[in-house]
Amino acid sequence: MNLTFGQYELIYNAFSFGTATFFAATIFFWLGLTQVSQKYKTALVITGLVTFIAGYHYLRIFNSFGAAYTEMDGFVTATGATFNVAYRYVDWLLTVPLLLIELILVMGLSRAETVRKSTTLGIAAALMIILGYPGEVSSGIDSTRFIWGALSMIPFLYIVYNLFVGLSDSINKQPEDVRGLVSAARWVVILSWFFYPIVYFAPFVMSVDGGGTFTVIEVGYTIADVVAKAVFGVMIFTIAVRKSQSQAA
Amino acid sequence: MNLTFGQYELIYNAFSFGTATFFAATIFFWLGLTQVSQKYKTALVITGLVTFIAGYHYLRIFNSFGAAYTEMDGFVTATGATFNVAYRYVDWLLTVPLLLIELILVMGLSRAETVRKSTTLGIAAALMIILGYPGEVSSGIDSTRFIWGALSMIPFLYIVYNLFVGLSDSINKQPEDVRGLVSAARWVVILSWFFYPIVYFAPFVMSVDGGGTFTVIEVGYTIADVVAKAVFGVMIFTIAVRKSQSQAA
C-alpha cells in the first residue's frame, strides 16, 4: 500500500498527538486523586489507567508505523514490515470495559447495581472488540470485514441501549450540580462510540485508494480514542471533584 | 537546505536545552503540589502538564533534527529525512489552551466565569494554532505563509485583548501581595506571545539564506517556549503558594 507524503505526515503526527495526550491525561487524573473523596478514588484511578494503557499502545502504534514506512526526500516507502493493527484491539479489549466501569463508579450506585452493571456491560464490551477484530485484520474491504463488523454491532447496540435507557433513572438521582455533567458524559460515550463503526465501515462507501482508506481509519480512530478516553476522562474527573466537594460541604 | 556547523550546533543545543528545562520544570511544579491549598492544585497540575507535554515534544523535535542532519568532521549534511515541523504545532495545540487555563485557574474566579473564560480563550487559542500551521509547513517564504499567518493573528489579538482588558477587573480583586505578580504573569504571557508572530514573520524582513532563516525560527521558538511555559509556570507556582499561605493565615 502506498502513502503520499501528506498522508504519512498526518498519520505520523496523529499518533504522536495521541501518545502525548494520553500520557498527559493519565498524570492529570492520578495527580487529581488528592482532590476527590475516598468514594471516587477508584473511578479516578481507572480513568487514569484507561489513558495510561492507551498511551502505551499509541507509543507502540507510533513505532510500528515508523517501522512500516520510511520517508526520504519527501517520498514515502513501505519497508515491507507489517503495521500491527492488533495494538488497537488489545488496547480496546483492556480500556473499553474499564471506560464503562469508570462511568458506573462515578455515578455512585448501590454496590449490587455497580457490580451487576460493570459485569454485564464489561463482558458485552469485550465481546464487541473480539468480534470486530477478525474483520479489521482481514486483508480487504470485503464480506469478512462486513460480517464480523455487523456481529460486533450486536453487543455495541446492547451497550449503547443500556447506557441510554438503563442509566436514565440513575441520572435523575444524581446531585443537581452534576446531573448535567453526568448526562453529558453519557452522551460523549454514545457519540464518540458511534464514531468507531462509522470509521470501520467507511471503506465500504468511500471511493479512495488504499492509502486514503488507511489514513481515514487511523486518523479517525485516533480522534475517537482521544474523545472517548481523555475528554470523557476530564468529565469523569470533574464529576468526581464536584461530588466530593458537595459531600464535604 | 544547508546548515553551517555553527548553526547546526546552536539548534541542536537549543533543543537539548528545551528538553532539559521542560522536564525539570515539570518535576518542580508537581513536587510543589503539597505546598498549595486544594483550590490551586488543579492550576499547578496543569502548569506541570504544559511543561511535560512540551518536554515530550522537544525530545521528539531533537530526534527529528538528529535524523534530518548528520555531522562528521565539522561538516553538516542533510540526510533527506524531513524535519517534522508539526511537532511544534501539535505541542501548541495542547499546551496553549492549557496555559491560558492555568492563568485563569490561579486567579480564583467564580466557577461560571472560570468555565466561560477557559472555553472562549481555549477555543481561540486552538484556532490560532490551526490557522498558523498551513503557513508554517508551506515550502517557502511566500504569500501562503503570509496569509495564514495573518489569519492566525485574528484569534491571537482577540486573546491578547481579552487577557489585557478582560482580566483587568479581576486583577484589582486579587489579594494585595499577589496583585503585582498576577499582573506580571499577564505581561509575561503577552510579551512572550508577541515573540511567536515576530519569529513567524521574521523571514519576510531578514536577508539571510535558508539555513539562517531556519536557525532564527527554531532558536527563536525555543526561547519563546521556555519563557511562555517554564518562566510563566514559575510565576503561577509563586502566586498559588502565596495565595495558599494568605488563606491559611
Side-chain angles (χ1 to χ4, degrees):
Chain A
M1 186 185 60
N2 294 316
L3 289 180
T4 68
F5 182 62
Q7 289 168 341
Y8 169 84
E9 285 259 287
L10 191 60
I11 297 168
Y12 184 94
N13 288 305
F15 291 161
S16 177
F17 168 78
T19 309
T21 304
F22 289 128
F23 283 126
T26 304
I27 298 165
F28 177 77
F29 301 135
W30 287 344
L31 288 179
L33 275 171
T34 55
Q35 290 170 263
V36 301
S37 62
Q38 284 294 340
K39 194 173 174 187
Y40 299 110
K41 282 199 198 298
T42 305
L44 211 52
V45 168
I46 291 178
T47 306
L49 279 186
V50 166
T51 48
F52 174 76
I53 295 168
Y56 165 82
H57 284 112
Y58 268 81
L59 205 56
R60 289 269 188 223
I61 290 170
F62 181 90
N63 290 341
S64 178
F65 183 70
Y69 293 92
T70 52
E71 177 271 328
M72 199 51 69
D73 298 320
F75 290 96
V76 181
T77 325
T79 60
T82 306
F83 174 71
N84 183 15
V85 175
Y87 283 134
R88 281 202 187 284
Y89 279 77
V90 175
D91 176 69
W92 292 337
L93 191 60
L94 287 162
T95 57
V96 176
L98 290 174
L99 263 177
L100 291 169
I101 293 170
E102 84 191 50
L103 179 61
I104 294 162
L105 281 178
V106 88
M107 296 187 73
L109 309 174
S110 72
R111 191 190 281 179
E113 200 163 9
T114 300
V115 172
R116 197 178 57 76
K117 280 202 190 298
S118 298
T119 312
T120 55
L121 294 182
I123 290 172
L127 205 63
M128 171 179 84
I129 310 301
I130 291 166
L131 289 171
Y133 180 70
E136 191 82 75
V137 296
S138 83
S139 49
I141 312 303
D142 53 12
S143 62
T144 310
R145 186 177 182 90
F146 193 85
I147 291 166
W148 288 104
L151 286 175
S152 171
M153 288 303 284
I154 301 167
F156 175 88
L157 292 172
Y158 169 80
I159 296 167
V160 169
Y161 176 82
N162 259 275
L163 287 181
F164 206 78
V165 177
L167 292 181
S168 288
D169 286 352
S170 317
I171 285 173
N172 294 325
K173 287 179 205 142
Q174 296 294 312
E176 205 171 323
D177 69 330
V178 299
R179 202 175 295 158
L181 256 176
V182 174
S183 172
R186 194 180 55 156
W187 273 105
V188 166
V189 173
I190 290 170
L191 292 179
S192 67
W193 279 36
F194 265 109
F195 217 82
Y196 292 97
I198 289 171
V199 172
Y200 187 99
F201 289 110
F204 290 104
V205 292
M206 289 188 311
S207 56
V208 290
D209 62 356
T213 304
F214 181 73
T215 308
V216 168
I217 290 178
E218 294 306 325
V219 175
Y221 280 152
T222 304
I223 295 169
D225 277 346
V226 166
V227 175
K229 294 177 168 92
V231 175
F232 174 70
V234 172
M235 301 180 87
I236 296 291
F237 169 78
T238 312
I239 293 166
V241 169
R242 287 204 189 162
K243 280 186 147 185
S244 303
Q245 282 167 348
S246 63
Q247 281 173 340
Chain B
M1 186 185 58
N2 294 315
L3 288 180
T4 67
F5 182 64
Q7 289 169 339
Y8 170 84
E9 286 259 286
L10 190 61
I11 297 168
Y12 186 94
N13 288 307
F15 291 161
S16 178
F17 169 79
T19 310
T21 305
F22 289 127
F23 283 128
T26 304
I27 297 165
F28 177 76
F29 300 136
W30 288 342
L31 288 180
L33 274 171
T34 54
Q35 291 170 263
V36 301
S37 61
Q38 283 294 342
K39 195 173 174 187
Y40 300 110
K41 282 201 200 298
T42 305
L44 211 52
V45 167
I46 292 179
T47 306
L49 279 187
V50 166
T51 49
F52 172 76
I53 294 168
Y56 165 83
H57 284 111
Y58 267 80
L59 205 56
R60 289 270 188 221
I61 289 170
F62 181 89
N63 290 340
S64 179
F65 183 68
Y69 293 93
T70 52
E71 177 271 326
M72 197 53 68
D73 299 321
F75 289 97
V76 181
T77 325
T79 61
T82 305
F83 174 70
N84 184 15
V85 174
Y87 282 135
R88 283 203 187 284
Y89 279 77
V90 174
D91 175 69
W92 292 337
L93 192 60
L94 289 163
T95 57
V96 175
L98 290 174
L99 263 177
L100 291 170
I101 292 170
E102 83 190 54
L103 178 61
I104 294 162
L105 281 177
V106 88
M107 296 186 74
L109 308 175
S110 71
R111 189 194 278 181
E113 199 163 10
T114 301
V115 171
R116 198 178 57 77
K117 280 201 190 301
S118 299
T119 313
T120 53
L121 294 182
I123 290 172
L127 205 64
M128 171 179 85
I129 311 302
I130 291 167
L131 289 171
Y133 180 69
E136 191 82 74
V137 295
S138 82
S139 50
I141 311 304
D142 53 11
S143 62
T144 310
R145 187 176 182 91
F146 193 85
I147 290 165
W148 288 104
L151 286 175
S152 173
M153 287 304 283
I154 300 168
F156 175 88
L157 292 172
Y158 169 81
I159 296 167
V160 169
Y161 175 82
N162 258 275
L163 288 180
F164 206 77
V165 178
L167 291 181
S168 288
D169 286 351
S170 316
I171 285 174
N172 294 327
K173 287 179 205 141
Q174 296 294 311
E176 206 170 323
D177 69 331
V178 299
R179 201 175 296 158
L181 255 176
V182 174
S183 172
R186 192 180 56 156
W187 274 104
V188 166
V189 174
I190 291 170
L191 293 179
S192 66
W193 279 36
F194 266 109
F195 216 81
Y196 293 97
I198 290 171
V199 172
Y200 187 99
F201 289 110
F204 290 103
V205 291
M206 290 189 311
S207 56
V208 289
D209 63 357
T213 304
F214 181 74
T215 308
V216 167
I217 290 177
E218 293 307 326
V219 175
Y221 280 151
T222 304
I223 295 168
D225 276 346
V226 166
V227 175
K229 295 178 168 93
V231 175
F232 174 70
V234 171
M235 301 179 86
I236 295 292
F237 170 78
T238 313
I239 294 167
V241 169
R242 287 206 193 158
K243 280 186 148 187
S244 304
Q245 282 167 347
S246 64
Q247 281 172 339

